[in-house]
């Protein structure tokens, strides 16, 4: 029996994807080699690379005036690359901070220029997505940066800002979980290890017009233009991670695309949120209801002793990765696309049973 994997990242990968990768591991496409052994300049790998690009464009409805890049370094490198390329002297990078990752993005931007926090829910321990902000006075704004989903605190944007300046979003933990309008954004980036595949590749979707505004005094490998001009093949890409990405994207397409995946995700999260809401206070959700994440469900129990007991019994039943982040405590169930509906139903049932036995 496979574990019920609720890890926050690296996270679950669809079982059919793992099985196909296993089948093709030592002999990909009758090459007599693993995809890991192929030259990144070979025709066989080029087909994998371009297939991943075209599938992502299809699934997200990415227009032709956007580049799709496959980079390395995770979202953390993007925290640096973005201001390095786009935060110019005399301009300000604006942020709406909703958790630890947006704080880290802000910290890196400060090393390159002026920054300003337009809104934050930090004072409430990031229990909600802020709505009390104005975009009327973003003068000299290089860009507005948001984090679409917050893995640690379990909050998620439901509607994105109508920004008069370039809008940039870190979508590492919820890309492909719901339908989005890519054209609202000038740059989207996402580490793969939540919804796109294994760690090692980072997807960047960037508007060509915005790309043309980038600074020139940037090291070659850290220029977005370097990678866009070379189809993300300027240096050796993470070929196996991109291969796995292409398989995950095929899996999403086979399951009806993002629209159908969103419906399934809403059902999955609904099971667990119902177990919380119907527990008469035995479980308490960290996020306010109108900001609840579909991908990371955070909750606490009444005391530390009960939390430890819950996590231990959950582990015995093969529920893995439910411990909450230290900054919030309690528990967290990460219900990414690859986590099956049955796992979420089983967890909700266990939560109800545990409450009944320990109330």
């Amino acid at each position: 029996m496979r574990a019920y994997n609720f890890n926050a990242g690296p996270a679950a990968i669809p079982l059919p994807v793992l099985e196909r990768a296993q089948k093709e591991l030592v002999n990909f496409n009758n090459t007599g080699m693993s995809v890991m052994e192929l030259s990144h300049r070979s025709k066989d790998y080029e087909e994998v690379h371009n297939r991943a690009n075209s599938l992502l464009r299809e699934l997200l409805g990415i227009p032709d005036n956007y580049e799709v890049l496959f980079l390395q370094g995770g979202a953390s490198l993007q925290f640096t690359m973005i201001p390095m390329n786009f935060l110019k002297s005399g301009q300000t990078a604006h942020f709406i901070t909703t958790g630890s990752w947006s704080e880290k993005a802000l910290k890196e931007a400060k090393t390159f220029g002026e920054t300003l926090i337009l809104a934050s829910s930090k004072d409430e321990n990031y229990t909600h997505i802020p709505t009390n902000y104005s975009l009327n006075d973003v003068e000299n704004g290089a860009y507005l940066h948001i984090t679409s989903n917050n893995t640690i605190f379990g909050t998620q944007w439901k509607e994105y800002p109508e920004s008069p300046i370039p809008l940039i979003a870190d979508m590492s933990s919820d890309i492909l979980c719901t339908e989005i309008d890519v054209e609202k954004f000038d740059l989207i980036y996402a580490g793969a290890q939540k919804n796109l595949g294994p760690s090692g590749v980072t997807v960047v979707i960037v508007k060509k017009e915005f790309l043309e505004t980038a600074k020139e005094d940037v090291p070659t490998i850290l220029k977005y233009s370097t990678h866009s001009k070379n189809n993300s093949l300027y240096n050796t890409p993470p070929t196996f991670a991109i291969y796995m990405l292409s398989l995950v994207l095929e899996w999403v397409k086979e399951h009806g695309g993002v629209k159908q995946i969103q419906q399934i995700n809403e059902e999955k999260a609904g099971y667990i949120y119902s177990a919380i809401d119907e527990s008469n206070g035995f479980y308490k959700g960290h996020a306010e209801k109108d900001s609840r994440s579909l991908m990371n469900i955070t909750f606490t129990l009444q005391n530390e002793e009960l939390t430890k007991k819950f996590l231990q019994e959950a582990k015995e039943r093969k529920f893995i990765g439910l411990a909450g982040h230290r900054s919030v405590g309690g528990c967290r169930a990460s219900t990414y696309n690859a986590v099956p509906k049955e796992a979420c139903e089983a967890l909700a049932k266990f939560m109800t049973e545990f409450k009944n036995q320990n109330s």
Side-chain angles (χ1 to χ4, degrees), residues 267-288:
E267 292 177 24
K268 285 158 46 179
Y271 295 132
I272 302 171
Y273 281 126
S274 292
I276 294 170
D277 294 340
E278 296 168 9
S279 70
N280 295 318
F282 186 85
Y283 303 108
K284 183 180 179 182
H286 178 78
E288 295 180 9

Side-chain angles (χ1 to χ4, degrees), residues 132-171:
N132 58 335
Y133 61 88
S134 172
L135 296 174
N136 293 330
D137 300 314
V138 287
E139 296 178 7
N140 297 319
Y143 54 82
L144 171 61
H145 182 284
I146 64 170
T147 304
S148 60
N149 183 76
N150 304 285
T151 55
I152 292 174
F153 299 95
T155 61
Q156 185 178 27
W157 286 80
K158 306 303 179 184
E159 293 184 9
Y160 296 111
E162 296 290 342
S163 178
I165 60 175
L167 181 60
I168 295 177
D170 176 359
M171 292 191 178

Side-chain angles (χ1 to χ4, degrees), residues 31 126 163 295 316 331:
T31 59
Y126 294 125
S163 178
M295 297 286 93
E316 290 169 2
C331 304

